Amino acid sequence: MGPLSKTIVVVGGNGFLGSAICRRAEAHGNFQVISISSSGKPYTTPKGHSPAWVNKVEWHKASAFDPPSYATLLNKKHAVIHTLGVLLEGGYKDAVKEGSLTKIAGAFSRGWGLGDQGNPLKKRAGPGEYEIMNRDSAIKVLDTYLEAEPPSDSDSASRAFIYISAEDIFRPFVPKRYIDTKREAEHGIATLCNNNETANIRDVSIRPGLMYHPHIRPFTTPLATLVDFSSKIHHSPPFNLPLPLPADILRSLGTRSEPGRPQSTGATDSPDVSPLQVPSSSFPSLANLLETPPIHVDHVADAIIRAIEDPTVKGPVGVEKMRELIGWSRRVDNVREAQTLQD
């Protein structure tokens, strides 16, 4: 193996997606990988094992809200990938790690307002977990990266700040504040990068849909299988019948519920990042869920690596663009995704 040509920092490198990024970057053979997290602990599998690749990653304890704890680690780095975030408030991640469907259901019920933590009528004293984790932590890390010393090599112009956002597919199962704070973060990140041209940092917002892994998170596979089937039906209607598909009906209902508001035609890579453009109605989000194929967490990681390497990648990157980055056509894609779901 030749000399490592790029050094990256993964914020939250011991998490579900963060660990996949670390692992795939190490397998790529062209990256030196540094992880920072609140615990600083190396990644372990759900059964507590430490894979061999873990020894090749530098693991550091740091808080995204305490720049002095990691500022020096960002000097001369080619990319910073921010993976922190919460889908639901109220500590649902512990339930996910345990694989407890009962506890996961409890977390969703709190998100729907069926408990004090999720009660939308209970006045919030300040920013909640969504605002703090999904938006503010990313802005704080980017602010620190903007002040960091750039790499001294010729690739310094291709520095990237990669933010893990999301497609709008989870409403009404999760509160609207989830996607609002994701879009607010995208907007803030793009503004900061555009207003600091001398820093030469391009913003990339990765928008995965449903991420799954058959072994690390086995409970995601049945849902991914259903979503994959729905996506294929919507992209290749059976018998080419001229009938409206479920997603079309849902978007029509969304238009009726919010007359005068432009409706999205699907989950896309559009640079429309303003939170004001997220419809209040959940119908468009449900339509996106039916149309957007699930994506294996390793494939998201591979797309991120390609985005780091390709200086033309900028702004929102949806699932279709991710598949394009890793070299998948839709026809080949369908075969590969089916094989991945079964593995």
Side-chain angles (χ1 to χ4, degrees), residues 98-293:
E98 293 176 19
S100 170
L101 295 179
T102 302
K103 291 183 179 179
I104 292 172
F108 274 99
S109 69
R110 289 191 295 272
W112 293 330
L114 301 180
D116 286 343
Q117 285 181 305
N119 189 349
L121 300 179
K122 187 176 181 179
K123 194 167 184 179
R124 190 177 293 106
E129 278 187 78
Y130 284 130
E131 289 77 14
I132 292 171
M133 296 303 298
N134 293 355
R135 182 191 66 202
D136 298 348
S137 66
I139 298 299
K140 180 67 72 174
V141 174
L142 176 57
D143 276 334
T144 309
Y145 191 34
L146 287 167
E147 298 296 324
E149 184 181 349
S152 56
D153 60 286
S154 59
D155 276 345
S156 61
S158 65
R159 279 201 297 170
F161 183 83
I162 297 182
Y163 171 68
I164 307 305
S165 186
E167 295 279 20
D168 181 12
I169 66 168
F170 296 109
R171 295 183 293 133
F173 309 108
V174 300
K176 184 172 179 287
R177 282 176 45 238
Y178 168 76
I179 197 64
D180 280 345
T181 51
K182 289 289 190 180
R183 295 294 180 263
E184 288 167 4
E186 289 184 15
H187 183 71
I189 289 165
T191 300
L192 281 171
C193 290
N194 291 335
N195 291 344
N196 291 271
E197 294 182 2
T198 56
N200 248 340
I201 296 175
R202 58 191 165 89
D203 62 291
V204 180
S205 293
I206 301 293
R207 293 179 175 181
L210 175 66
M211 287 190 294
Y212 69 94
H213 192 293
H215 306 301
I216 296 176
R217 288 190 177 176
F219 66 88
T220 59
T221 303
L223 180 57
T225 301
L226 292 174
V227 172
D228 183 58
F229 176 77
S230 173
S231 172
K232 289 173 181 175
I233 292 295
H234 279 81
H235 286 283
S236 299
F239 312 114
N240 292 319
L241 295 176
L243 298 174
L245 293 166
D248 300 323
I249 297 171
L250 287 167
R251 286 206 174 84
S252 177
L253 292 172
T255 302
R256 293 178 186 177
S257 65
E258 297 183 79
R261 177 189 285 272
Q263 295 294 321
S264 166
T265 57
T268 69
D269 306 313
S270 166
D272 296 336
V273 297
S274 170
L276 299 177
Q277 295 174 343
V278 176
S280 297
S281 169
S282 296
F283 290 126
S285 181
L286 286 170
N288 291 340
L289 174 63
L290 294 178
E291 292 180 332
T292 306

